[in-house]
Amino acid sequence: MSRFWSELTRRLTPYVPGEQPRHRRLVKLNTNEAPYPPSPQVLVAIQGIDGEALRRYPDPESSALREAMAQYHGLDPQQVFLGNGSDEVLAHVFQGLLQQEQPLLFPDISYSFYPVWCELYGIAFEQIALRDNFTIDVAGYARPNGGIILPNPNAPTGIVLELADIQRLLQDNPDRVVVIDEAYIDFGGDSAVTLINDYANLLVVQTLSKSRALAGLRVGMAFGQAPLIDGLQRIKNSFNSYPLDAIAQRAVIASLADEDWFQDCRRKVIATRARLTEGLAALGFSVLPSAANFVFATPGPGRDAKAIFLALREQGIVVRYFDKPRIADYLRITVGTDEQCDALLEALPALLA
């Protein structure tokens, strides 16, 4: 701690991201990255970048990418906002739309950086408890609020909320923004993007890090009616007018053009998720129904999740453990390749014994 820190800096408890081990031989199942590479067309687009494109500032509005993204989702370009990863997009959302007099509402078991951003931007918040089965209780959000944000599927549970429940939230809160954070929607469930033209208070946030294997490029999106997007543009242009570099913009356009590759990788992850779930259940784990590219599982009575997490790491298999109330008995396991998941399943019996 430095004497030069501001009072805000002293108060903050920063978000701790998942470990990124440098050892290449590890079976890395802790950060929900894609197990397969991006479309070959992405690599061609990156290799085709010339010096002139890098010499100049990128298009500050990412016009070509906004148009491609809008066309892909059946929207207008004015309904698309782009940022340097969904983390930056959400940071702008918190500051530009959710900084209200009444508290922001979100689940008690959810992304741990939601409270961090609330602290950073001085936003009061209330956490609404999930049910005992870890599903979202929509009725619990029927209280005065300055906005609602929900991951869908939720993290780290992986449980998805139906569109009918999202519509209920939108209808019950017509004067408040409802943000649906869809980082994992491509692996299960229906996207709320289809509701945008019907609800002025809906904002949907997505990322290309998971299902399109572009975590290294840092590109995130928000979709909503034009007035909401205009508000985010005002925040962006007051913070960083050039958030997306020329390489990222061209690479994402190439990814959107290769639908076959995207669907094939998506199907493989979903199939492996089913195999992993079945294998864990056979070992006595209780696995929550996941619509994401990870599973959330407890090893069962008499078994210590943290001890299993540490023992796996000693064998070069890294999963995610959260030492927090209600979920300290669970492990979050990324759906890797079949070979990676088999390595996990083969290592577990000896540890459980």
Side-chain angles (χ1 to χ4, degrees), residues 8 24 36 47 52 109 235 319:
L8 172 62
R24 290 183 175 272
Y36 307 106
Q47 292 164 359
E52 187 68 10
I109 299 173
I235 296 294
V319 298

Short mmCIF file of all heavy atoms in Angstrom, two decimals, residues 8 24 36 47 52 109 235 319:
data_model
loop_
_atom_site.label_atom_id
_atom_site.label_comp_id
_atom_site.label_asym_id
_atom_site.label_seq_id
_atom_site.Cartn_x
_atom_site.Cartn_y
_atom_site.Cartn_z
N LEU A 8 -10.19 5.66 -2.71
CA LEU A 8 -10.87 4.62 -3.47
C LEU A 8 -9.95 3.43 -3.70
O LEU A 8 -10.35 2.27 -3.51
CB LEU A 8 -11.35 5.18 -4.81
CG LEU A 8 -11.93 4.15 -5.80
CD1 LEU A 8 -13.17 3.48 -5.21
CD2 LEU A 8 -12.26 4.81 -7.13
N ARG A 24 3.15 -25.58 -20.11
CA ARG A 24 2.33 -26.00 -21.25
C ARG A 24 1.75 -27.40 -21.09
O ARG A 24 0.79 -27.76 -21.75
CB ARG A 24 3.15 -25.93 -22.55
CG ARG A 24 3.46 -24.50 -22.99
CD ARG A 24 4.21 -24.49 -24.31
NE ARG A 24 4.40 -23.14 -24.80
CZ ARG A 24 3.53 -22.47 -25.55
NH1 ARG A 24 2.41 -23.07 -25.90
NH2 ARG A 24 3.77 -21.26 -25.96
N TYR A 36 -10.76 -25.54 -28.61
CA TYR A 36 -10.38 -25.65 -30.01
C TYR A 36 -9.96 -24.27 -30.54
O TYR A 36 -10.37 -23.24 -30.01
CB TYR A 36 -11.54 -26.21 -30.84
CG TYR A 36 -12.06 -27.50 -30.29
CD1 TYR A 36 -13.28 -27.56 -29.61
CD2 TYR A 36 -11.32 -28.68 -30.41
CE1 TYR A 36 -13.75 -28.75 -29.07
CE2 TYR A 36 -11.78 -29.87 -29.88
CZ TYR A 36 -12.99 -29.90 -29.20
OH TYR A 36 -13.44 -31.08 -28.66
N GLN A 47 -3.12 -12.55 -40.70
CA GLN A 47 -1.89 -12.56 -41.49
C GLN A 47 -1.94 -11.57 -42.66
O GLN A 47 -0.91 -11.14 -43.16
CB GLN A 47 -1.64 -13.98 -42.02
CG GLN A 47 -1.28 -14.97 -40.92
CD GLN A 47 -1.40 -16.42 -41.35
OE1 GLN A 47 -1.77 -16.71 -42.49
NE2 GLN A 47 -1.11 -17.34 -40.43
N GLU A 52 0.24 -0.45 -43.30
CA GLU A 52 -0.57 0.77 -43.36
C GLU A 52 -1.72 0.71 -42.35
O GLU A 52 -2.05 1.72 -41.72
CB GLU A 52 -1.13 0.93 -44.78
CG GLU A 52 -1.86 2.25 -45.04
CD GLU A 52 -0.93 3.46 -45.02
OE1 GLU A 52 0.29 3.28 -45.00
OE2 GLU A 52 -1.46 4.59 -45.03
N ILE A 109 -24.80 -15.60 -5.80
CA ILE A 109 -23.78 -16.47 -6.39
C ILE A 109 -23.72 -16.12 -7.87
O ILE A 109 -24.62 -16.45 -8.64
CB ILE A 109 -24.11 -17.95 -6.18
CG1 ILE A 109 -24.17 -18.27 -4.69
CG2 ILE A 109 -23.07 -18.83 -6.87
CD1 ILE A 109 -24.65 -19.67 -4.37
N ILE A 235 -20.01 7.17 -22.94
CA ILE A 235 -19.02 6.76 -21.95
C ILE A 235 -17.72 6.35 -22.64
O ILE A 235 -16.61 6.76 -22.24
CB ILE A 235 -19.56 5.60 -21.09
CG1 ILE A 235 -20.77 6.06 -20.27
CG2 ILE A 235 -18.47 5.06 -20.18
CD1 ILE A 235 -20.46 7.10 -19.21
N VAL A 319 -8.34 -27.05 -12.13
CA VAL A 319 -9.76 -26.69 -12.20
C VAL A 319 -9.94 -25.45 -11.31
O VAL A 319 -8.97 -24.89 -10.79
CB VAL A 319 -10.68 -27.85 -11.76
CG1 VAL A 319 -10.50 -29.04 -12.70
CG2 VAL A 319 -10.39 -28.26 -10.32
#
